[in-house]
Amino acid sequence: MSTWLLVGLGNPGPTYASHRHNVGYRVVDELARRAGVRFTGAGQLRADVAQTRLTATGGMGGLGAEAEQVVLLKSRTFMNESGIAVGKAAGYYRVPAEQLVVVHDELDLDFGRIRLKFGGGDNGHNGLKSIRRSLGTGDFFRARFGVGRPPGRQEPADYVLSPFPAALAEDVAVEVSRCADAVEALLTLGLDEAQSRFNS
């Protein structure tokens, strides 16, 4: 059976955990929670990984030989070197680019919006640039989690490296769960159907 590689982008360590730039980590954490699996360190991959299987009905944690393998990954490198871990994992698990899903923050989408897509540019996102450089292609799936543009004259880099406002904590949790739903739909229903359900 084929293997899917689901990558959540972010920066490692507690300092960055609540930042907008780390929503990718939070989405794959949610997928791991649903599957009942824990991340463990994979030093040779420079990442934390968790393995599960996809059920026929679309949930994580499936059993049996017919269930597709799913590898969840959070890089232990900083964002601008995400491609190191992704490239190593893609090689180790023999995952082609078209079986890769990258979950990342997106400045050009308002908060509360999610977009699934295949391929495309990097739009200035250093994590995507690094992955494209490592794989030699941008032809992989992306789950784009809207964080909105910074207010006033705040630099985008400072904005994504800052937490969501405390008042949005519950809304962020809802959107993380919804993005996890979207990723599961992408794997089980295909891009077109998942887009029709979740792209906003």
Side-chain angles (χ1 to χ4, degrees):
M1 296 296 290
S2 61
T3 298
W4 284 92
L5 178 60
L6 306 187
V7 176
L9 294 187
N11 288 306
T15 300
Y16 303 96
S18 64
H19 290 179
R20 292 175 174 88
H21 226 15
N22 274 47
V23 292
Y25 273 18
R26 294 178 68 172
V27 172
V28 294
D29 280 340
E30 170 62 14
L31 290 167
R33 184 197 67 76
R34 294 179 182 187
V37 296
R38 292 175 179 262
F39 283 94
T40 58
Q44 76 276 21
L45 302 181
R46 297 185 66 182
D48 293 325
V49 299
Q51 295 187 53
T52 183
R53 288 185 179 273
L54 192 67
T55 69
T57 56
M60 297 289 172
L63 301 173
E66 76 286 352
E68 288 189 294
Q69 183 180 18
V70 178
V71 178
L72 305 172
L73 182 142
K74 296 186 292 185
S75 172
R76 285 187 171 180
T77 66
F78 285 102
M79 180 71 82
N80 61 356
E81 294 186 331
S82 299
I84 295 173
V86 175
K88 287 177 179 291
Y92 181 79
Y93 294 105
R94 299 181 181 179
V95 177
E98 60 269 20
Q99 295 279 114
L100 167 66
V101 182
V102 178
V103 186
H104 64 91
D105 58 302
E106 179 58 68
L107 286 166
D108 283 343
L109 291 177
D110 291 338
F111 176 71
R113 302 185 76 183
I114 292 168
R115 291 271 176 87
L116 300 169
K117 63 181 291 192
F118 181 80
D122 307 324
N123 205 23
H125 196 291
N126 288 330
L128 294 177
K129 285 181 183 178
S130 178
I131 293 170
R132 177 192 290 273
R133 192 162 53 243
S134 178
L135 299 181
T137 180
D139 290 339
F140 50 85
F141 291 99
R142 298 105 184 274
R144 304 161 68 204
F145 187 113
V147 297
R149 280 276 167 189
R153 297 185 178 182
Q154 185 178 13
E155 287 293 323
D158 294 334
Y159 177 71
V160 296
L161 291 174
S162 63
F164 289 99
L168 285 180
E170 290 186 9
D171 292 332
V172 172
V174 167
E175 292 307 314
V176 165
S177 181
R178 195 164 71 90
C179 192
D181 292 342
V183 171
E184 289 184 337
L186 171 63
L187 268 57
T188 56
L189 303 175
L191 180 61
D192 289 346
E193 178 63 24
Q195 284 177 325
S196 72
R197 294 188 182 198
F198 292 95
N199 279 19
S200 55

